[in-house]
Amino acid sequence: MRVLGIESSCDETALAIVEKNNGRFLVVKNVVASQIALHSKYGGVVPEIAARSHVDAIFPLLKEAGIPHDGYGIDAIAVTVGPGLVPALRVGVELAKALAWCWEKPLVAVNHLEGHLSSVWLAEGEFPKFPALALLVSGGHTELILMCEHGTYELAGMTRDDAVGEAFDKVAKLLGLPYPGGPSVSHEAEKGNPEAVAFPRPMLKSRDFDFSFSGLKTAVAVYCRESARTTNIVQSGGHPGTFVQDICASFQQAVVDVLVLKTLAAIERFAPASVLLAGGVSANTLLRCTLQNTVAKAYPDISFHIPPLEYTTDNAAMIAVAGIFRAEKKDFTDPLRLVADPNLAL
Ligand code: KG4
Ligand code: ZN
């Protein structure tokens, strides 16, 4: 089965063709038009700019991906319908509806979060076994999810305020580092001392699987304010100094400690057969390595799965994989009725 995936929920316009062959997923085409440069001067995504850029980018991307004009060879179209920014989502959704209508091909509505979870199936090696426990960490979500099978989810815990990616982005802004914050904070963290500042590990003692990151972000802000060097956060040459690097390393360590310990507690409680890590923040090297090593050491019988690095942040290959799982169940949607849903739940 060959599926065209379409993604436009936030600041990446993306198209992909994924083929399922002998049980494995082969990415035939994968193109992404990133809007990072457009949003970076605002320190975050501006919905109206995102929507206009999706419109500008999506047809050139169709051409770049070499999508046949008549849809030849494509068995279904999968599109992100939510959650996300509604003006952005609508660009992908309306294109998907038009193509499904013209080509007379089935249309699959995909939840963006289900797409992130499905990105793990793009990795080499054994597929995850069910029941699986997934730590989903992105710019808008921080959730521990139990997966009994594809399409069946139970929310074990979630953030009560900021998502972890959002916390990275806000801390970066505070420190004068470029958007998006995750890559820039983790880059500076490599040169810093993770024990330099004792930032809090929020919610570690709560008896549930929820998270909270807004207090940690505030702790970074307060630390900066109270420090004598606040005015010298970014050195005169524009390069962050040791002060910033130590804050980044200490903040990142606090985040990773919380994510890993909460996931371990959820493993203890739900005894899954496998553990998944997905979402944009799963690009974080410290998180990938620490969670993998900790799970392997504490639970050698539980397999651990992460997406390949290039499919951690938003892309359409993951949407196509999720689309294949739904298409196999004939879970199609009517192109005349499909509407984007900014608050779509899993
Ligand atoms: O999944 P994603 O591409 O978009 C959403 O669905 O939100 O995730 C984007 C988030 C951003 O907040 C970005 O700062 C974060 O993922 N991120 C990272 C890293 N790379 C991206 N956070 C920490 N470390 C990274 N290396
Ligand atoms: Zn995402």
Side-chain angles (χ1 to χ4, degrees):
M1 180 186 295
R2 254 184 182 219
V3 169
L4 167 65
I6 303 175
E7 156 66 37
S8 70
S9 65
C10 190
D11 58 350
E12 321 273 8
T13 325
L15 297 176
I17 295 178
V18 176
E19 185 174 306
K20 190 175 181 193
N21 222 328
N22 293 327
R24 306 293 311 181
F25 296 89
L26 173 73
V27 181
V28 180
K29 289 274 191 232
N30 184 47
V31 289
V32 182
S34 173
Q35 304 175 5
I36 284 176
L38 286 173
H39 299 289
S40 57
K41 65 177 164 194
Y42 304 101
V45 179
V46 183
E48 179 59 26
I49 294 177
R52 284 188 212 174
S53 310
H54 286 307
V55 171
D56 292 343
I58 209 148
F59 285 99
L61 274 190
L62 269 178
K63 196 166 172 216
E64 188 185 331
I67 308 293
H69 289 187
D70 56 359
Y72 180 77
I74 290 168
D75 299 304
I77 298 154
V79 64
T80 304
V81 284
L85 305 168
V86 89
L89 285 164
R90 289 192 64 186
V91 179
V93 168
E94 296 308 313
L95 172 70
K97 287 159 69 172
L99 292 179
W101 173 260
C102 296
W103 293 347
E104 297 182 350
K105 306 270 182 185
L107 179 61
V108 187
V110 172
N111 182 305
H112 182 78
L113 305 181
E114 185 168 88
H116 275 302
L117 296 175
S118 303
S119 66
V120 167
W121 273 260
L122 288 165
E124 286 179 5
E126 293 225 336
F127 289 147
K129 293 185 194 73
F130 295 120
L133 173 73
L135 174 64
L136 183 70
V137 278
S138 71
H141 292 83
T142 304
E143 296 178 357
L144 275 163
I145 299 161
L146 286 162
M147 279 179 84
C148 299
E149 56 171 314
H150 293 294
T152 309
Y153 310 100
E154 199 184 310
L155 191 63
M158 62 185 289
T159 182
R160 295 188 183 175
D161 40 56
D162 290 357
V164 65
E166 188 181 355
F168 268 97
D169 294 339
K170 287 178 176 169
V171 164
K173 200 168 179 181
L174 206 69
L175 297 173
L177 297 173
Y179 168 85
S184 48
V185 168
S186 60
H187 179 70
E188 296 310 323
E190 280 170 24
K191 294 163 266 174
N193 172 10
E195 289 169 14
V197 193
F199 288 129
R201 270 63 175 161
M203 305 280 289
L204 264 196
K205 299 227 161 61
S206 73
R207 286 162 182 265
D208 51 29
F209 303 104
D210 284 350
F211 302 90
S212 163
F213 291 104
S214 87
L216 178 55
K217 170 200 67 192
T218 307
V220 175
V222 169
Y223 180 80
C224 287
R225 212 166 41 233
E226 289 180 355
S227 163
R229 284 163 290 183
T230 335
T231 49
N232 194 20
I233 281 179
V234 176
Q235 289 174 337
S236 48
H239 298 297
T242 319
F243 178 68
V244 167
Q245 290 161 354
D246 283 350
I247 292 177
C248 289
S250 303
F251 163 76
Q252 179 178 252
Q253 190 63 57
V255 166
V256 170
D257 283 354
V258 172
L259 293 173
V260 169
L261 289 169
K262 282 272 174 172
T263 306
L264 287 185
I267 295 174
E268 199 58 40
R269 164 76 177 76
F270 299 108
S274 57
V275 172
L276 278 58
L277 172 65
V281 183
S282 73
N284 186 279
T285 309
L286 184 70
L287 177 60
R288 285 167 88 89
C289 296
T290 314
L291 191 57
Q292 175 150 34
N293 294 339
T294 315
V295 172
K297 208 163 152 203
Y299 301 96
D301 297 335
I302 298 179
S303 60
F304 181 76
H305 307 264
I306 31 179
L309 207 51
E310 62 179 309
Y311 301 118
T312 49
T313 48
D314 290 350
N315 65 88
M318 67 184 196
I319 304 303
V321 175
I324 290 174
F325 290 134
R326 289 202 171 264
E328 286 174 340
K329 293 184 196 158
K330 305 258 177 288
D331 184 2
F332 299 123
T333 192
D334 180 351
L336 293 181
R337 290 170 187 270
L338 186 63
V339 281
D341 180 352
N343 302 313
L344 187 67
L346 255 186

